[in-house]
């Protein structure tokens, strides 16, 4: 599409101070585009959780968001330990987060279920010891 | 009910975000699990927690919460305070426990 917008962000593992920055910037863009507030809320929940997963579980990653009039497709591609069993990871309450991360209130094992509930399409590919790629799509109209 | 009303009535300390004292409170949410708040809170709610790090402000902003109330005398970190000032979402505090603050807050804002 000619009028597609593409936004790119970089995430560093363990950088909790900046976790949520990409979500916040994409939220602003969607508001400027007059996307329905309820839809923005869903996108923000999913994106924040995916962003935090890179910070909490991976070494570094890149986010790209492509916005067209029909939908938004967000891809988070990280270098990290990967996910051994994706079905298991999707289970509510399952978490391998470190005690330190849990103390901060992360690591409740609700992130991937939160993502799943809020997007129209979710695709997770992972290679152990290489990284994880999360692609999520939400319809905008 | 505005944030300034509960600040007065519950005698809460104002740490930051004073420009948001007129934010309207639509309800409350009590949790220390960030994904729980991210997934289940609604905009306008006052969030009661013992977490103090910057991510609580990221969540409060993204979810458009009215304010954060930190319990048990904990204090927000400097980065948390800066973001609260920037975004105009007040961070309030009390020496009381989550149980007490939530009970008092509920009495104030229940319909
Ligand atoms: N990007 C990622 N890289 C490696 N592992 C991941 C990634 N995202 C999720 N996981 C794995 O899936 C588990 C469940 O994720 P999630 O539901 O978000 O819960 P939490 O992040 O609270 O542990 C994580 O504990 C981790 O083992
Ligand atoms: Mg997670």
């Amino acid at each position: 599409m000619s009028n597609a917008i593409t936004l790119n962000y970089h995430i560093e593992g363990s950088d909790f101070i900046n976790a949520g920055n990409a979500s916040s910037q994409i939220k602003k863009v969607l508001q400027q585009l007059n996307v329905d507030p309820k839809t923005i809320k869903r996108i923000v929940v999913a994106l924040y959780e995916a962003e935090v997963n890179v910070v909490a579980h991976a070494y570094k990653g890149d986010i790209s968001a492509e916005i067209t009039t029909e939908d938004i497709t967000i891809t988070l591609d990280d270098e990290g330990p990967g996910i051994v069993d994706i079905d298991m990871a999707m289970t509510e309450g399952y978490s391998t987060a470190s005690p330190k991360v849990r103390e901060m209130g992360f690591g409740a094992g609700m992130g991937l279920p939160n993502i799943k509930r809020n997007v129209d399409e979710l695709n997770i590919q992972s290679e152990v010891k290489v990284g994880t790629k999360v692609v999520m799509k939400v319809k905008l109209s | 009910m505005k944030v300034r009303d509960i600040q007065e009535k519950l005698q809460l300390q104002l740490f930051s975000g004073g420009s948001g004292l007129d934010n309207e409170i639509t309800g409350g949410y009590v949790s220390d699990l960030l994904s729980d708040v991210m997934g289940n809170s609604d905009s306008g709610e006052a969030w009661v927690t013992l977490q103090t790090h910057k991510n609580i402000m990221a969540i409060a902003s993204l979810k458009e919460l009215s304010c954060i109330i930190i319990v048990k005398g904990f204090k927000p970190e400097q980065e948390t305070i800066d973001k609260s000032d920037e975004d105009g979402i007040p961070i309030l505090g009390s020496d009381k426990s989550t149980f007490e603050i939530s009970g008092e807050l509920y009495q104030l804002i229940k319909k």
Side-chain angles (χ1 to χ4, degrees):
Chain A
M1 253 190 101
S2 57
N3 59 344
I5 300 173
T6 306
L7 304 164
N8 292 295
Y9 305 93
H10 180 76
I11 319 173
E12 279 297 317
S14 301
D15 182 13
F16 283 98
I17 288 290
N18 289 306
N21 283 0
S23 306
S24 158
Q25 287 174 39
I26 290 175
K27 180 185 173 187
K28 275 185 202 137
V29 172
L30 293 170
Q31 283 172 331
Q32 280 159 7
L33 294 170
N34 284 318
V35 172
D36 169 45
K38 282 205 180 104
T39 308
I40 297 180
K41 282 182 184 173
R42 288 169 51 216
I43 295 165
V44 161
V45 172
L47 178 54
Y48 178 79
E49 292 288 1
E51 213 183 324
V52 166
N53 276 352
V54 176
V55 176
H57 305 296
Y59 314 137
K60 60 179 172 183
D62 288 299
I63 304 180
S64 93
E66 193 178 88
I67 307 168
T68 69
T69 44
E70 282 88 43
D71 52 42
I72 178 168
T73 306
I74 307 173
T75 305
L76 296 98
D77 205 345
D78 74 48
E79 282 173 34
I83 303 174
V84 179
D85 183 339
I86 294 175
D87 285 339
M88 175 91 97
M90 293 298 303
T91 313
E92 188 103 31
Y94 176 85
S95 176
T96 59
S98 68
K100 191 179 158 276
V101 168
R102 281 172 203 259
E103 217 169 86
M104 291 174 78
F106 295 107
M110 297 169 75
L112 291 174
N114 267 354
I115 295 173
K116 177 104 188 138
R117 251 195 304 280
N118 284 286
V119 300
D120 293 311
E121 280 174 45
L122 174 63
N123 186 331
I124 303 175
Q125 288 172 351
S126 191
E127 198 177 329
V128 174
K129 292 184 184 160
V130 177
T132 301
K133 189 170 172 177
V134 174
V135 184
M136 46 204 195
K137 187 182 268 208
V138 174
K139 292 194 190 85
L140 300 182
S141 57
Chain B
M1 175 126 354
K2 292 185 189 307
V3 174
R4 73 167 74 249
D5 300 323
I6 65 152
Q7 189 211 347
E8 251 165 53
K9 294 197 169 107
L10 302 182
Q11 292 180 306
L12 304 172
Q13 181 183 349
L14 176 67
F15 289 117
S16 54
S19 66
L21 279 173
D22 286 322
N23 290 352
E24 200 65 41
I25 298 184
T26 59
Y29 203 81
V30 181
S31 181
D32 301 321
L33 296 177
L34 305 193
S35 287
D36 178 28
V37 181
M38 201 60 214
N40 301 309
S41 67
D42 278 323
S43 59
E45 288 180 340
W47 175 18
V48 180
T49 184
L50 52 67
Q51 300 290 353
T52 57
H53 54 83
K54 191 185 170 202
N55 295 89
I56 61 173
M57 268 311 306
I59 289 176
S61 283
L62 288 169
K63 298 289 291 189
E64 295 166 24
L65 303 179
S66 51
C67 66
I68 298 174
I69 304 171
I70 297 179
V71 298
K72 283 177 37 181
F74 289 114
K75 298 200 168 12
E77 288 159 23
Q78 189 57 48
E79 292 102 351
T80 320
I81 288 174
D82 294 343
K83 178 110 168 93
S84 157
D85 286 333
E86 201 182 306
D87 294 356
I89 299 179
I91 300 180
L92 308 163
S94 170
D95 287 334
K96 291 180 179 161
S97 71
T98 304
F99 178 69
E100 287 172 283
I101 281 295
S102 303
E104 291 176 7
L105 185 64
Y106 180 78
Q107 288 303 324
L108 273 182
I109 65 181
K110 71 175 180 191
K111 311 248 155 49

